[in-house]
Each structure stands twice: as C-alpha cells, then as structure tokens.
Amino acid sequence: MASLTHLFKNNKNWAEKIRKEQPDFFDKLSKQQSPEYLWIGCSDSRVPANDLLGMLPGEVFVHRNIANQVIHTDLNCLSVIQFAVEVLKIKHIIVCGHYGCGGVAASLDNNQHGLIDNWLRHISDVHRFHKEELEQLTGEELTNRLCELNVVEQVGNVSKTTTMINAWNVGQEISVHGFVYNLQDGILKDLNVSVDSNVS
C-alpha cells in the first residue's frame, strides 16, 4: 500500500506556518465557526475556494460538486444551504463555476460517461434553455459560455430554495452571487446576477 506520510508532513508544515503568523489562530478557530460566505463550487481540484479568495480556514463555508450545481432533489446541497443560512447566518452565497469545466464539456458531447450522465442532464437542460444563443458558438467559446449560463441558472436555483425564501421573508440580509473562475489567470469574474430578495 502506498504511504501518505508526505501529506502528514505537509500538514505539519502548514500548521506550523499558520501558528508562526497567528499564534492564537487554531485556538480561536476551534471555538467558533462564523464565516460570512457560503461557496458552492465545482469539485475540480484546481479551484480551491479559500486559496483563490485569499482567505483562511473558518472564513468560507464550502460545498462542492461536479459542475457547481444546485439541484432541488440534492439533500446534501440543500442541507448545506440550510445550515449556512439558518445556523451560521452567513451573509453571502457564492455560486462559482470555472472556465474549462469538464462536467460542462461532458454535457455537450454525445458520449456515455456512466452514472454521472444523470447529474449532467441538468446542464443539458441549461443548454436547452439557451439553445438559440449557444447554437451560434463552437468549441471553447461554447463550453465557456455554458459554464457562465450554468452559474446563472444555479444562482436562480439557490434563490428558489425554501431556505432562501424563508430567510428573505423574515428580513434576513443575505445575497446570492454568481462568479466564474478563470484557470488560466486565476481571476474571478462577477457575472452580475446577484439576488438579495424574493422580489423578481
């Protein structure tokens, strides 16, 4: 069996670095979790929420899945949203996709990928909703635009969850945002589709 001792060494070095910079960091972190942000992102290993936002552990509550989807039958994602909104009282939910997303690309081909095809069907629906626009595009331009439109759709899905409807109905101040991350330069793009109330 392969050894993972290098991971424990990396962890020890990381913890020591944090302790040198902020001696009481872990003591404070262990006593309370109070992030202002929920990040709903892609599982892609190249898109680490804390790192690309320049934030430390404890500052971002994170949920990740293939192609950053918010599906109304996904109890995992819905439970994360409910906990973040009702218990942690976060102020912002960020749905973040990324250009070059393999899940989005796979939803565009005619190949079978196994179980994941059921999950990717939701992205195929986004494609169908925007068929007229997307038919004008090809290649990377098509995939990247569908990445953006998928984020926009997921922002709408978050906004329509019972958790968000109830939170806004009682006056809780919370906003939902849509971002896309560019793997080629590390920069986030705001899609300017933020929602902060039930009012359409």
Side-chain angles (χ1 to χ4, degrees), residues 108 127 134-135 137-147:
L108 288 167
H127 183 275
L134 294 173
E135 280 181 337
L137 307 174
T138 58
E140 187 177 299
E141 194 176 28
L142 168 61
T143 305
N144 286 346
R145 181 59 180 148
L146 185 53
C147 288

Side-chain angles (χ1 to χ4, degrees), residues 13-182:
N13 291 340
W14 171 80
E16 287 175 359
K17 180 176 182 284
I18 296 286
R19 273 195 296 268
K20 283 179 183 173
E21 294 171 359
Q22 299 181 50
D24 60 347
F25 177 79
F26 290 109
D27 185 49
K28 286 181 179 177
L29 186 66
S30 66
K31 292 176 181 166
Q32 183 177 341
Q33 176 178 216
S34 56
E36 288 190 17
Y37 309 94
L38 166 60
W39 173 278
I40 299 174
C42 184
S43 298
D44 193 302
S45 61
R46 300 167 294 174
V47 191
N50 284 69
D51 291 341
L52 66 90
L53 291 172
M55 293 185 168
L56 291 168
E59 294 183 313
V60 186
F61 196 60
V62 176
H63 175 78
R64 294 169 71 174
N65 62 51
I66 301 299
N68 45 269
Q69 295 189 74
V70 178
I71 297 169
H72 295 306
T73 54
D74 179 3
L75 296 181
N76 183 345
C77 184
L78 296 179
S79 297
V80 168
I81 292 170
Q82 181 181 14
F83 185 80
V85 172
E86 296 181 4
V87 178
L88 297 177
K89 304 293 185 189
I90 52 108
K91 302 289 186 193
H92 303 275
I93 297 176
I94 298 166
V95 178
C96 187
H98 65 96
Y99 295 125
C101 180
V104 171
S107 77
L108 288 167
D109 67 35
N110 292 318
N111 300 323
Q112 289 193 351
H113 304 280
L115 179 65
I116 196 171
D117 289 333
N118 299 285
W119 185 258
L120 298 179
R121 181 69 209 152
H122 298 281
I123 303 173
S124 298
D125 289 340
V126 176
H127 183 275
R128 183 170 43 85
F129 301 155
H130 301 276
K131 188 175 181 182
E132 191 173 313
E133 175 189 352
L134 294 173
E135 280 181 337
Q136 311 302 315
L137 307 174
T138 58
E140 187 177 299
E141 194 176 28
L142 168 61
T143 305
N144 286 346
R145 181 59 180 148
L146 185 53
C147 288
E148 293 178 345
L149 291 171
N150 181 51
V151 169
V152 173
E153 187 72 18
Q154 306 319 313
V155 167
N157 288 347
V158 171
S159 301
K160 293 179 183 101
T161 61
T162 53
T163 297
M164 293 304 298
I165 291 167
N166 293 337
W168 283 326
N169 282 344
V170 298
Q172 187 170 343
E173 292 185 16
I174 181 169
S175 301
V176 186
H177 312 274
F179 297 169
V180 176
Y181 178 68
N182 191 333

